[in-house]
Amino acid sequence: MGHSFSIFSRKAEPAQEYLAKPSGSCCLQGTVHEGESRGTWETIADVETYISTPPKGKENGNVLLYFPDVWGMFPNGLLVMDAFADAGYLVLGLDYFRGDPVWKHRKNRHDNSNPDFDYEAWKRKHTAFADEAVPRWAKAVSDRYRADHVKFACVGYCFGAPYVCNELAKDTVTVGAFAHPAFLKEHHFENIKKPLFLSCSETDHTFDVPSRRRALDILQNKKKIYHYQLFSGVSHGFALRGDPNDPYQRWVKEQSLAGIVAWFDYWLAQ
């Protein structure tokens, strides 16, 4: 009897459920933006890395780690990194998809031109690599740029959100932010030790209302430092893949970025 009871007990303790679910079909839609990125590429800790430097005279002396969404190093992401650089940050983003972003297989959620593409297998493969590569890469970047007055921030979109929370649970970065997150569990919010900015959309099947409320409950109950930003009328992907020809979507994207920059500027100045 005792043996069967112990088996039952283990089954009664399920693995922690996702608050922000793994990337889904909503991550396969959006608008690719026009513009010329200006950064350079370099291999750091065996991972291709995009580096965007601030314009001369605008440097604030701080470093921003960028964790991309499932679209990887596509034009929108590079331009957003350049925008953070325009705000004074030396920005580094790693390609943990290793040249295999999701858009190479699916242009959007209605695209069935590659019926053999296994989105779930793709996520498992790249999550396994990113989980191993990000800590190693973050340490390499920290070792390379750390100096007396240099501070580190991190930002993640969708797939990149858990890596933000992981870094905020350690000591390298001072502050972090994410927008329309995926792959988050309760422990990601419970374990953070540094200020977190959450940029969210009203409509988001990945991070829905009950999940957002639960995340906020954890942050409040654990007395974490956070700021919660919520936009109506937009959906998952708004901060990277909104339609720039829609004035409201463009404004929301710009406000999300401006809010994150202001959050970083404040905490890094403390």
Side-chain angles (χ1 to χ4, degrees):
M1 282 295 284
H3 182 64
S4 63
F5 177 75
S6 67
I7 293 173
F8 176 79
S9 297
R10 284 200 296 272
K11 286 184 177 178
E13 296 175 1
Q16 202 175 72
E17 293 183 1
Y18 283 103
L19 288 184
K21 298 185 237 348
S23 305
S25 62
C26 58
C27 304
L28 299 174
Q29 59 186 340
T31 305
V32 176
H33 300 163
E34 295 181 359
E36 290 293 323
S37 56
R38 65 166 193 269
T40 58
W41 291 91
E42 188 174 330
T43 302
I44 298 177
D46 300 321
V47 186
E48 280 296 293
T49 302
Y50 181 81
I51 304 175
S52 188
T53 56
K56 286 217 176 301
K58 288 194 172 182
E59 308 94 335
N60 62 21
N62 297 316
V63 176
L64 175 61
L65 310 182
Y66 177 95
F67 303 124
D69 75 332
V70 294
W71 286 49
M73 296 308 196
F74 73 128
N76 302 27
L78 303 182
L79 293 170
V80 164
M81 282 189 272
D82 289 349
F84 281 116
D86 286 340
Y89 292 86
L90 173 63
V91 185
L92 294 94
L94 79 166
D95 180 15
Y96 36 48
F97 302 117
R98 294 174 289 174
D100 183 41
V102 76
W103 56 264
K104 286 201 171 179
H105 308 279
R106 288 273 178 88
K107 303 303 181 192
N108 57 61
R109 62 179 172 169
H110 306 297
D111 175 15
N112 293 312
S113 59
N114 181 6
D116 296 327
F117 175 56
D118 187 335
Y119 191 19
E120 297 306 312
W122 181 91
K123 285 186 280 190
R124 286 194 300 272
K125 169 187 171 183
H126 291 299
T127 299
F129 176 78
D131 285 351
E132 178 273 325
V134 169
R136 178 166 45 86
W137 178 85
K139 183 181 186 305
V141 172
S142 170
D143 290 346
R144 175 171 173 171
Y145 291 103
R146 186 165 298 288
D148 287 346
H149 302 294
V150 174
K151 293 182 181 179
F152 294 82
C154 61
V155 65
Y157 294 84
C158 182
F159 186 97
Y163 304 111
V164 168
C165 293
N166 291 346
E167 289 303 316
L168 293 181
K170 297 185 287 190
D171 296 319
T172 297
V173 303
T174 297
V175 61
F178 62 59
H180 41 83
F183 293 94
L184 291 178
K185 296 186 176 183
E186 291 190 0
H187 72 82
H188 287 109
F189 297 96
E190 292 168 347
N191 294 342
I192 65 171
K193 301 188 293 186
K194 311 290 178 62
L196 171 66
F197 186 102
L198 305 83
S199 187
C200 302
S201 57
E202 181 182 43
T203 304
D204 191 337
H205 299 299
T206 300
F207 197 37
D208 60 16
V209 173
S211 294
R212 294 198 298 266
R213 287 178 177 159
R214 177 62 188 145
L216 292 176
D217 283 345
I218 293 170
L219 294 170
Q220 291 169 0
N221 293 338
K222 298 283 186 179
K223 302 288 193 260
K224 306 298 184 181
I225 299 172
Y226 71 94
H227 179 68
Y228 176 57
Q229 178 188 58
L230 182 70
F231 295 103
S232 66
V234 290
S235 56
H236 186 95
F238 70 92
L240 271 185
R241 303 189 303 276
D243 183 355
N245 295 316
D246 179 316
Y248 180 67
Q249 288 190 45
R250 187 184 188 99
W251 179 84
V252 164
K253 176 182 176 293
E254 292 170 351
Q255 287 299 306
S256 174
L257 191 141
I260 292 170
V261 167
W263 181 252
F264 289 165
D265 287 349
Y266 174 79
W267 288 107
L268 294 173
Q270 301 309 301

